[in-house]
Amino acid sequence: MSGLLPGDPAAGIGGEATPRALCVLAPNPSPMTLDGTNTWLLSEPGSDLAVVIDPGPLHEGHLRRVIETAEQQGKRVALTLLTHGHADHSEGAARFAELTGSEVRALDPAHRLGSEGLTDGQRLDVGGLDLRVIGTPGHTSDSLTFHLPADGAILTGDTVLGRGTTMVAHPDGRLGDYLDSLRHLHGMAAEHGVRTVLPGHGPVLADALGAVDYYLAHRAGRLAQVETAVEAGCRTAAEVVARVYADVDRALWPAAELSVLAQLQYLRDHGLIPD
Ligand SMILES: [Zn+2]
């Protein structure tokens, strides 16, 4: 496979993805954010309450469009959640909370607005919508995945993207944590009926198990390449990037360098390369 994810290439970005989840695409495309940030609007059929996951960047038009989309369906935003604190997901949250009067809940207290946070294993019920909180650190230390059991779906933020692969944001993100998180999601797809990935960027993936398998294989492959590069004499992260990520868009090299630093840390921690 040459960097193509398994999944449904026809699945679009924006609009209804599952019976309970609808995507409003933010207008912030870039090499890092792909088509832009996916803001997710979730609601139980028949309920007049909605949950928004990742309001996205501070873009007034986008935030208002999310609210209008909810209103067109006869729903009011009752709660805002963040998958993690990166600005392309969280920057608009304070303004969105102002516009909707909803609380913002996140793992990292610095990104909360209101009295309540989120913790791994927590269950949320908003107008009958059953949502489970899963700690999936690695991309960042505060990364969460939200499980929507009724639709067999997971909202993965930047932990699993709809296209390509993600970065481990060293030093906050750690590769060992990330691999554990991927294995956890693998178990959910293999044993707990999770089929659909609703990612933070890129299209919906219809084969969650295939996507997570691809991510695990990709990370193992990159790690082996980094180890080989060090053995071949690469001394700095930039040297490793130039060798291992030669096939990757140079706009992504700064992110790749953080991922390489995370991989070097992992290899040292496991005694696979010298300190
Ligand atoms: Zn991120």
Side-chain angles (χ1 to χ4, degrees):
M1 288 198 298
S2 59
L4 274 177
L5 271 176
D8 180 1
I13 299 167
E16 198 177 313
T18 71
R20 291 167 181 78
L22 191 152
C23 175
V24 183
L25 179 64
N28 61 335
S30 77
M32 286 295 292
T33 60
L34 306 178
D35 315 84
T37 301
N38 293 333
T39 295
W40 290 101
L41 189 62
L42 308 182
S43 184
E44 188 67 16
S47 164
D48 62 354
L49 301 182
V51 176
V52 164
I53 296 182
D54 292 347
L58 181 53
H59 184 290
E60 187 77 10
H62 171 64
L63 300 178
R64 289 185 180 274
R65 196 158 60 249
V66 174
I67 294 167
E68 281 161 19
T69 305
E71 285 171 352
Q72 280 162 11
Q73 309 217 334
K75 296 175 192 286
R76 169 177 76 79
V77 177
L79 180 63
T80 302
L81 305 174
L82 298 179
T83 58
H84 65 301
H86 278 165
D88 56 322
H89 298 256
S90 70
E91 187 191 45
R95 176 63 180 149
F96 191 69
E98 231 172 64
L99 291 169
T100 58
S102 68
E103 289 199 335
V104 179
R105 295 174 70 174
L107 183 69
D108 182 349
H111 291 285
R112 296 174 189 163
L113 280 175
S115 53
E116 289 187 276
L118 291 172
T119 52
D120 179 33
Q122 202 169 9
R123 267 180 91 156
L124 306 174
D125 180 332
V126 182
L129 183 83
D130 177 23
L131 208 54
R132 322 252 171 117
V133 182
I134 306 158
T136 48
H139 168 70
T140 59
S141 62
D142 71 337
S143 286
L144 297 174
T145 289
F146 298 100
H147 180 202
L148 183 58
D151 287 355
I154 45 175
L155 295 112
T156 51
D158 285 358
T159 298
V160 177
L161 302 181
R163 200 164 57 239
T165 55
T166 194
M167 66 178 291
V168 177
H170 177 85
D172 177 50
R174 298 181 64 88
L175 180 59
D177 290 343
Y178 186 60
L179 294 174
D180 287 345
S181 293
L182 288 178
R183 289 184 197 111
H184 186 116
L185 296 180
H186 188 274
M188 291 180 66
E191 292 155 32
H192 297 288
V194 169
R195 300 174 302 278
T196 306
V197 176
L198 308 176
H201 304 278
V204 170
L205 300 174
D207 176 11
L209 189 61
V212 176
D213 272 338
Y214 169 76
Y215 268 58
L216 282 165
H218 172 82
R219 284 267 66 94
R222 281 288 190 228
L223 195 59
Q225 287 176 311
V226 170
E227 193 177 349
T228 302
V230 172
E231 284 164 4
C234 288
R235 285 288 160 263
T236 66
E239 286 171 17
V240 173
V241 168
R243 181 184 167 112
V244 172
Y245 290 79
D247 59 327
V248 169
D249 182 351
R250 275 180 177 253
L252 296 172
W253 279 21
E257 194 164 323
L258 294 183
S259 283
V260 164
L261 287 166
Q263 292 175 86
L264 293 172
Q265 177 80 55
Y266 179 91
L267 291 168
R268 278 194 298 272
D269 290 349
H270 288 75
L272 296 167
I273 58 171
D275 282 332

